[in-house]
Amino acid sequence: MSARTGRPPKISRADIVSAAHRIIDEEGVSGLTMRRLAREVGTTPMALYHHVQDKDELLQLLLDDYASGMPRPELPDGEGERIVVAAVAMRQALIGVPWTVEVLRADDLVSVHALWYPETIIDAAVRAGLTPETAVDLYRIIWHYTAGEISARAAAGRRREGGKPTYRSRLFANLDAAELPRLAALGERWEELTARDTYEKGVRAIVQGLLPMSASS
Amino acid sequence: MSARTGRPPKISRADIVSAAHRIIDEEGVSGLTMRRLAREVGTTPMALYHHVQDKDELLQLLLDDYASGMPRPELPDGEGERIVVAAVAMRQALIGVPWTVEVLRADDLVSVHALWYPETIIDAAVRAGLTPETAVDLYRIIWHYTAGEISARAAAGRRREGGKPTYRSRLFANLDAAELPRLAALGERWEELTARDTYEKGVRAIVQGLLPMSASS
DNA sequence: ACCTGAACACCGTTCAAGT
DNA sequence: ACCTGAACACCGTTCAAGT
């Protein structure tokens, strides 16, 4: 039908996106630059700008692509438990790609494919007896908690592999026991205690604190 | 006493830190570059490296400087309420300087002056009957929640002033009501609902969900 | 001891030109 | 229509030299 004219394309958006995924997997988001990406695809940096508007659009594309593969777990009957399961799945999906949280936070980048999680959580909350408004509050509180946990986890990972002289442990070793008795008492154990995975515990606390008694257990 | 020799210094660490604060206040963290900082101080970029090891150390210095001015509110008697007050104060202190959260998250940068908050929260939790281990869990859950909330808030602010075509509202306008009924029903109201400040509500939920019944109210 | 200048190895993006 | 090359306006940091 349409009169396709002009030079045939050498690269496609799909090529670009998959190359970007490869780079991120191997070198992290910080390794993803337009120039590095061009090398991976086998073109010049400027050829990319013919397929995406700018780096932000590229990240959006990447996010959509990833979100479409996020798992949707089986949901249990109880409303409170359903929220916990959805939240844990959401966090699990993000844990492998912490850069998405950075991108999500950095701008108004949301993917349609990821909306199953808020939908599920808000639906369960309403069924448990909350108003839609309060259900949105519950979801947002869980989201903020999740985003913060993922970021802290990612930073901790970087710290470990960076092998820096652990400023934190030096700090904890020299605490003034008179001013900060609890922290001083914990001392050495801080590292070990903060390594524990307490995500689900937090979600359960939030759910229990916000859902009507009967539904939260 | 000591034989101070050599060329007298033109700039000090204090000069650098205060100039950095000025830049951040006016242009945000992203505006803080070694070159821009050198211009503000009135030297060359390389002169800075004589006073700080690298940009990371500079950020650490900045954080310490800011943390030393963080307010320590009057604490109420009830343990649960004490935790809420400390958390709200911590968040309030960070809200004006969201870049600190980005720095804190980005690496193992903690400041001694900011440790009053975890100390207070953990102490109240232990007094309420939690084991030290569980008290640390409670603190970390609150911290993750707080960090996530601050980041989301900072991103939302950037979004508003950036005046981008609000991808999010376009997304919400075109939702499939069959697949995402709750979100579709919320539709237009999403923007308004997510603008509400629900931080304290979240902290209360976490406290109520984790403290023994008697102490949390 | 403290500061400077030139340089290295990078960024994202614009602009004008080529096929 | 799609791609290229050169260029602009940036980064953090190293290195050798100046006072």
Side-chain angles (χ1 to χ4, degrees), chain B residues 188-209:
Chain B
E188 312 273 290
R189 300 194 58 210
W190 185 260
E191 205 78 25
E192 164 216 336
L193 290 175
T194 55
R196 297 192 301 173
D197 183 350
T198 54
Y199 177 77
E200 189 171 328
K201 186 173 184 173
V203 174
R204 284 188 189 282
I206 293 169
V207 169
Q208 222 206 306

Side-chain angles (χ1 to χ4, degrees), chain A residues 121-190:
Chain A
I121 289 172
I122 290 170
D123 181 63
V126 171
R127 281 176 201 280
L130 297 191
T131 62
E133 290 78 14
T134 321
V136 170
D137 290 350
L138 170 65
Y139 168 70
R140 286 177 67 222
I141 289 165
I142 289 179
W143 167 248
H144 292 152
Y145 171 59
T146 306
E149 204 270 345
I150 296 277
S151 300
R153 174 170 288 272
R158 260 177 268 137
R159 198 188 311 134
R160 255 190 300 280
E161 75 181 58
K164 289 206 181 167
T166 54
Y167 176 82
R168 188 161 76 166
S169 47
R170 214 175 55 230
L171 191 79
F172 265 85
N174 303 330
L175 284 186
D176 180 356
E179 228 197 321
L180 302 166
R182 296 290 180 193
L183 295 180
L186 286 161
E188 311 272 290
R189 298 193 59 210
W190 186 260

Side-chain angles (χ1 to χ4, degrees), chain A:
Chain A
M1 202 60 153
S2 65
R4 312 275 227 95
T5 62
R7 189 168 171 170
K10 282 173 69 174
I11 58 169
S12 67
R13 271 164 93 103
D15 293 338
I16 292 174
V17 169
S18 74
H21 270 301
R22 244 177 294 140
I23 293 170
I24 285 180
D25 284 350
E26 283 162 31
E27 304 162 39
V29 226
S30 64
L32 182 68
T33 69
M34 297 304 270
R35 297 167 124 102
R36 172 78 186 79
L37 181 56
R39 236 190 312 141
E40 184 80 16
V41 177
T43 26
T44 61
M46 290 322 302
L48 302 175
Y49 284 86
H50 224 269
H51 300 265
V52 299
Q53 254 200 353
D54 52 20
K55 202 183 174 180
D56 267 5
E57 205 199 56
L58 173 68
L59 290 171
Q60 174 68 53
L61 240 47
L62 236 39
L63 207 60
D64 269 351
D65 192 59
Y66 182 75
S68 66
M70 282 182 172
R72 301 186 180 185
E74 287 289 311
L75 295 174
D77 284 340
E79 277 90 15
E81 201 54 31
R82 206 141 79 228
I83 295 173
V84 172
V85 167
V88 167
M90 175 167 77
R91 183 256 203 159
Q92 195 56 45
L94 291 170
I95 223 169
V97 281
W99 60 270
T100 55
V101 178
E102 286 168 48
V103 172
L104 282 165
R105 199 177 28 236
D107 222 325
D108 194 10
L109 306 170
V110 198
S111 168
V112 219
H113 302 110
L115 293 181
W116 180 84
Y117 299 100
E119 173 72 24
T120 302
I121 289 172
I122 290 170
D123 181 63
V126 171
R127 281 176 201 280
L130 297 191
T131 62
E133 290 78 14
T134 321
V136 170
D137 290 350
L138 170 65
Y139 168 70
R140 286 177 67 222
I141 289 165
I142 289 179
W143 167 248
H144 292 152
Y145 171 59
T146 306
E149 204 270 345
I150 296 277
S151 300
R153 174 170 288 272
R158 260 177 268 137
R159 198 188 311 134
R160 255 190 300 280
E161 75 181 58
K164 289 206 181 167
T166 54
Y167 176 82
R168 188 161 76 166
S169 47
R170 214 175 55 230
L171 191 79
F172 265 85
N174 303 330
L175 284 186
D176 180 356
E179 228 197 321
L180 302 166
R182 296 290 180 193
L183 295 180
L186 286 161
E188 311 272 290
R189 298 193 59 210
W190 186 260
E191 205 78 26
E192 163 216 337
L193 290 175
T194 55
R196 298 192 299 174
D197 183 351
T198 54
Y199 177 78
E200 188 170 328
K201 185 172 183 175
V203 174
R204 285 189 189 281
I206 292 169
V207 169
Q208 222 206 306
L210 288 177
L211 244 43
M213 287 276 274
S214 55
S216 65
S217 65

Side-chain angles (χ1 to χ4, degrees), chain B residues 7 32-35 45-46 49 54-55:
Chain B
R7 191 168 170 169
L32 183 69
T33 70
M34 296 305 269
R35 295 166 124 101
M46 290 322 301
Y49 284 87
D54 52 21
K55 201 182 176 182

Side-chain angles (χ1 to χ4, degrees), chain B residues 132-213:
Chain B
E133 291 78 15
T134 321
V136 170
D137 291 349
L138 169 66
Y139 168 71
R140 286 178 67 223
I141 289 165
I142 289 178
W143 167 249
H144 292 153
Y145 170 60
T146 305
E149 204 270 346
I150 296 276
S151 300
R153 172 169 289 271
R158 260 177 268 136
R159 197 190 310 132
R160 257 191 298 279
E161 73 180 61
K164 288 205 182 168
T166 54
Y167 177 83
R168 187 162 77 167
S169 46
R170 215 172 57 231
L171 191 80
F172 265 85
N174 304 329
L175 283 185
D176 181 355
E179 229 198 321
L180 303 166
R182 297 288 181 196
L183 294 181
L186 286 161
E188 312 273 290
R189 300 194 58 210
W190 185 260
E191 205 78 25
E192 164 216 336
L193 290 175
T194 55
R196 297 192 301 173
D197 183 350
T198 54
Y199 177 77
E200 189 171 328
K201 186 173 184 173
V203 174
R204 284 188 189 282
I206 293 169
V207 169
Q208 222 206 306
L210 288 176
L211 280 200
M213 288 274 275

